[in-house]
Amino acid sequence: MTTGSGRWWADRPVDPRAVAVSSGDHVLLRGEPGALAPDALARFAGSYVEAPARFLPVLGNGFQRVDPWERMVYVHQASAMTARPAPGITVRRLTPKDAPALVALGPGAAWIHKTWGGPERLASSGLCWGAFHRGRALSLACTYFLGSRHEDVAALADPGHRRRHLALACVTALCEDIAARGRTPSWTCSRDNRPSRLLAWSAGFRLSREYVHYATGPARRPGPGGRAEAA
């Protein structure tokens, strides 16, 4: 609702019993799973689904594979370590003119603007900071999910320019920006993503809670009598 990117889904338009909110490849499920048809979730194949345990039977019936993924949520609570980018590198807010620099990062970096609907929308959002050298983006930090109280932060660095505190500098600038807007920065990553956890800690984030979301495989197709079968 705050970005205009993503979609809402429901089992029916009036008085819905089950709803899904999707943004990028992330999906949030709530409500009563019994209200869903066997193939209702097929559109969410290849997604990361966060849902209460009561939805697990529906997910298991809807997809050929459902893999649990432990996640950690951090909240910004401490001062960041000092980041000193090398001479010639500028850390600044992105503008609409920086969209080509985002595209130039390649397909492997496309995830960072997926929740915004593309590089142009992220560059125009005013919620992304980058470290630049001669017009080339070496690192980025942006608001990945924009809530009413929190802004969940995402960051990346060009593989050839890691360990130079560029991501830390971008995250620090973004967090200051988020605080000035009256919101709290948060950070979410998988338990086994040690580089992301270290960056979060260095930037002043501290662990708040843990949860599990589910990576879905290919959808099953409805078989005779509405039973789901492998596609």
Side-chain angles (χ1 to χ4, degrees), residues 10 14 24 28 44 48 55 66 74 95 101 105 136 140 160 173 178 184 187 193-194 214 223:
V14 179
L28 184 76
F44 301 130
Y48 302 103
F55 278 91
V66 179
Y74 296 80
T95 71
L105 290 170
R136 179 187 174 195
L140 297 173
I178 292 172
T184 301
W187 185 285
N193 191 340
R194 188 170 182 271
Y214 303 90

Side-chain angles (χ1 to χ4, degrees), residues 136-189:
R136 179 187 174 195
L138 305 181
S139 185
L140 297 173
C142 72
T143 296
Y144 197 62
F145 293 118
L146 177 60
S148 58
R149 292 185 298 170
H150 293 82
E151 296 189 29
D152 206 55
V153 174
L156 65 78
D158 183 278
H161 294 83
R162 290 173 180 166
R163 301 183 183 277
R164 298 175 60 184
H165 289 181
L166 301 184
L168 177 59
C170 293
V171 171
T172 299
L174 175 62
C175 288
E176 292 174 352
D177 213 20
I178 292 172
R181 288 191 285 271
R183 299 192 181 98
T184 301
S186 62
W187 185 285
T188 309
C189 65

Side-chain angles (χ1 to χ4, degrees), residues 36-62:
L36 298 175
D39 61 344
L41 302 180
R43 60 176 56 87
F44 301 130
S47 299
Y48 302 103
V49 180
E50 199 272 293
R54 62 181 178 273
F55 278 91
L56 288 180
V58 177
L59 290 170
N61 290 332

Side-chain angles (χ1 to χ4, degrees), residues 66-179:
V66 179
D67 299 321
W69 199 346
E70 295 178 317
R71 304 280 289 174
M72 308 182 78
V73 179
Y74 296 80
V75 175
H76 197 264
Q77 298 178 346
S79 298
M81 294 176 56
T82 301
R84 296 185 176 89
I89 294 178
T90 302
V91 176
R92 61 171 175 81
R93 188 194 311 272
L94 269 66
T95 71
K97 295 181 179 179
D98 292 311
L102 297 184
V103 175
L105 290 170
W111 65 268
I112 200 164
H113 49 68
K114 205 167 187 178
T115 56
W116 284 93
E120 293 82 6
R121 293 192 63 181
L122 176 57
S124 301
S125 70
L127 305 179
C128 185
W129 286 72
F132 289 84
H133 181 251
R134 296 180 179 178
R136 179 187 174 195
L138 305 181
S139 185
L140 297 173
C142 72
T143 296
Y144 197 62
F145 293 118
L146 177 60
S148 58
R149 292 185 298 170
H150 293 82
E151 296 189 29
D152 206 55
V153 174
L156 65 78
D158 183 278
H161 294 83
R162 290 173 180 166
R163 301 183 183 277
R164 298 175 60 184
H165 289 181
L166 301 184
L168 177 59
C170 293
V171 171
T172 299
L174 175 62
C175 288
E176 292 174 352
D177 213 20
I178 292 172

